[in-house]
Amino acid sequence: MKKSILIAIVLSIGFVVKAQEKTITGTISDATGPLPGVSVIVKKSIKRTYTNFDGNYSILTSKGDTLVFSYIGFKTREVLVGDAKVINLLLEQDSSQLDEVIVVGHGISTKRSITASVTQVSEKKSKRQAYHDKLSRQLQGKAAGVQITAASGLVGNGTTVKIRGIASVKQGKEPLYIVDGVPIEKYKNAVIAKISPDKIEKVNVYKSARARKLFGNIAKDGCVVITTKSGKYRVEEDENYAAITENQFQKVQLQPLSTFSIDVDKASYSNIRRMINKGQKIDVDAVKIEEMVNYFGYDYPQPKHHPFSINAEVSQTPWNKNTRLVRIGLQGKTYENHTLPASNLTFLIDVSGSMDSPNKLPLLKSAFKLLVNQLREKDRVSIVVYAGAAGVVLEPTSGMDKEKILDALDRLSAGGSTAGGAGIKLAYKLAQDHFIKGGNNRVILATDGDFNVGASSDKAMQKLIEEKRKSGVFLSVLGFGMGNYKDSKLETLADKGNGNHAYIDTMQEAQKVFGKEFGGTLYTIAKDVKIQLEFNPAKVQAYRLIGYENRLLADEDFIDDTKDAGELGSGHTVTALYEIIAPGVNSDYVKKTADLKYTTLENNTGFSDELFTVKFRYKKPDGDKSIELVQVVTDRTTEMSPDFKFASAVALFGMQLRKSQFTNNSAQDDVITLAEAGRGRDKLGYRAEFIRLVKTSKGSL
């Protein structure tokens, strides 16, 4: 009897608990709109979910539970579950989470005098060990160091740090310096010299035995740890960009052909946006006008017979009454995600010490989760990581087993040097071993580009990728972080690896790359796409291609199928702009040349109505022979469409950022006016963001 009563009580309790369970839904946003990828956890349980691309979530919980909402760069919120079934939240940005360098350990304790022996610090052992462990992970493989001692108490206070036993080490070696937890890898003496003495809180000098014990083998020859009073000393940035020489006007009679490879990369715009928003000076070589223009989508018609449609438009140049502007637009065929072929994806993730900051590896992992949540059962994912060496952390796994993939991502942590070449080789091998014939075979590299072990120069990486692309495996390159971002290297990898390059600085950008443009990012519909324009000298005196400086091809490369060119993804648009000058128009941009004896206009009489002929060549993703398309554009000037106005505004802003000689003294207000006139529907708000960006930079150029 008692047993049956007990069972009844247990069952009734179970029914009550079950009855209290309910599904909570809602939308998580910030000041600009919905946030994808927000973590939603039932506190003190294993229940977890993430917001989708529209910021929506759904989770099973009970009355009295606490929901925890967390997101990179935003303050964590906790909400008690009551009677409501819908909980919407507006998260507040937490700039300190992304920007603050947290200093623990040395700067907290009382300093004892520094002598020729090892500096002693009095602090709690656990806190000190945690700090040392973090630095050790970050510094592995970073610098050789030397055995050191201090001449007196403080570096920068009229004293110096001297290298002991200089005759016993190779010339050019320097001490290993750490400033506010950040290793100084390049231009060490110059960086240290710039630190004002009155900003230094303390200096700890460790010689070999103690340094090695605290920081590991990387500090086997000694280490100097400097802590400033602010704890947030800003080390000079070491970002690399390929040099760009702006295209000039070409005389048609001397150079009638203009040939270039398409470019669907969009990294330059998001990178510049990051610089403007942080108030940084913009490196002119970081400004690639074609990537800025192609960041935005345009309303070109879908193709009917080929992988892309061809569109042309000619109008008066908004910033120069003596020239006309030509717009050439390609629209890649859009495929719905469920119709895309099976994917064999290999995530190649940089987990070296340089990735150990919130806007690098943590942001990277959150971004990849957006991609994982879209995978299907027929898709396969592998994960390769590299630091001092490369290794496989996830063998090919079905897209249905999302928890396993997400768990593998969650376990990643940063530390060590950067053997990028070894990682690339291993990732391609894994992709080839599990190659899907007729499928989407792709390596997705995510890094800041700071390779320093093995093959690491731009030339060495180019050679490596050119060899690997023969396998039929495509490459997508995603850049993260700031301060040591290596744009030139990542552009080379994407260009030579039959892929695309994007820079992800926020989760909103991750949503754009992996959400709104998922198919274009991962699925190539045409490769080695080349464009060649032939201008009619009877109609055009001179022309200038705006941007694409790093994509120019020799004219003979157009019909050479062995020459590599750009790839076009599902739904991608490509836009190219030319500024042209009509015959008889005097322009300072057109340099005088001697009269030609043999080249005349006599053979152009039959083409008096034609402005130019544009040719396109492309290969199918698995093909080796090009298909050619030809379109003739007549000499007709029309009113600018809204899309044309907006593309022109972006190009003009890029020219202003590059301090171009061709802006014709236009102002930023001209960019804003033109962009607002071309804003159009702007459903996703990208164009409005551009206008805000120009206004933010106003007066700073």
Side-chain angles (χ1 to χ4, degrees), residues 630-697:
V630 179
Q631 184 166 317
V632 175
V633 177
T634 57
D635 185 12
R636 188 168 64 94
T637 301
T638 61
E639 182 69 24
M640 269 190 166
S641 65
D643 270 0
F644 198 176
K645 289 179 181 177
F646 188 81
S648 302
V650 177
L652 179 57
F653 184 53
M655 290 162 59
Q656 291 175 347
L657 292 175
R658 286 195 56 81
K659 313 295 184 186
S660 170
Q661 62 176 304
F662 302 112
T663 60
N664 204 28
N665 297 319
S666 60
Q668 284 176 275
D669 283 338
D670 297 325
V671 174
I672 295 169
T673 300
L674 193 57
E676 287 178 337
R679 179 174 171 178
R681 290 181 298 169
D682 193 26
K683 183 179 178 181
L684 299 176
Y686 297 137
R687 297 189 181 189
E689 179 194 52
F690 170 78
I691 295 170
R692 289 195 299 270
L693 201 67
V694 178
K695 291 179 178 178
T696 299
S697 68

Side-chain angles (χ1 to χ4, degrees), residues 329-393:
L330 303 183
Q331 172 65 61
K333 185 176 181 179
T334 301
Y335 293 86
E336 296 298 327
N337 290 354
H338 68 274
T339 65
L340 296 177
S343 291
N344 166 35
L345 305 178
T346 303
F347 297 170
L348 175 56
I349 299 176
D350 182 352
V351 293
S352 64
S354 66
M355 295 292 288
D356 191 17
S357 65
N359 55 25
K360 292 188 180 182
L361 187 59
L363 176 60
L364 182 159
K365 293 195 288 187
S366 296
F368 270 78
K369 289 174 182 177
L370 295 177
L371 169 58
V372 171
N373 286 329
Q374 296 189 83
L375 297 177
R376 305 155 300 181
E377 183 177 5
K378 63 182 179 179
D379 299 326
R380 295 288 182 273
V381 169
S382 309
I383 300 180
V384 173
V385 298
Y386 63 91
V392 178
V393 300

Side-chain angles (χ1 to χ4, degrees), residues 7 53 98 123 126 131 138 143-144 147 161 223 233 293 307 342 467 477 514 535 578 590 617 633 664 684 698:
I7 293 173
F53 292 116
L98 288 178
E123 61 188 293
S126 59
Y131 180 57
Q138 187 174 356
Q147 197 169 14
V161 175
C223 182
Y233 181 75
V293 172
E467 291 174 356
V477 181
F514 283 145
F535 290 93
Y578 281 89
V590 182
R617 287 176 73 90
V633 177
N664 204 28
L684 299 176
K698 193 175 178 182

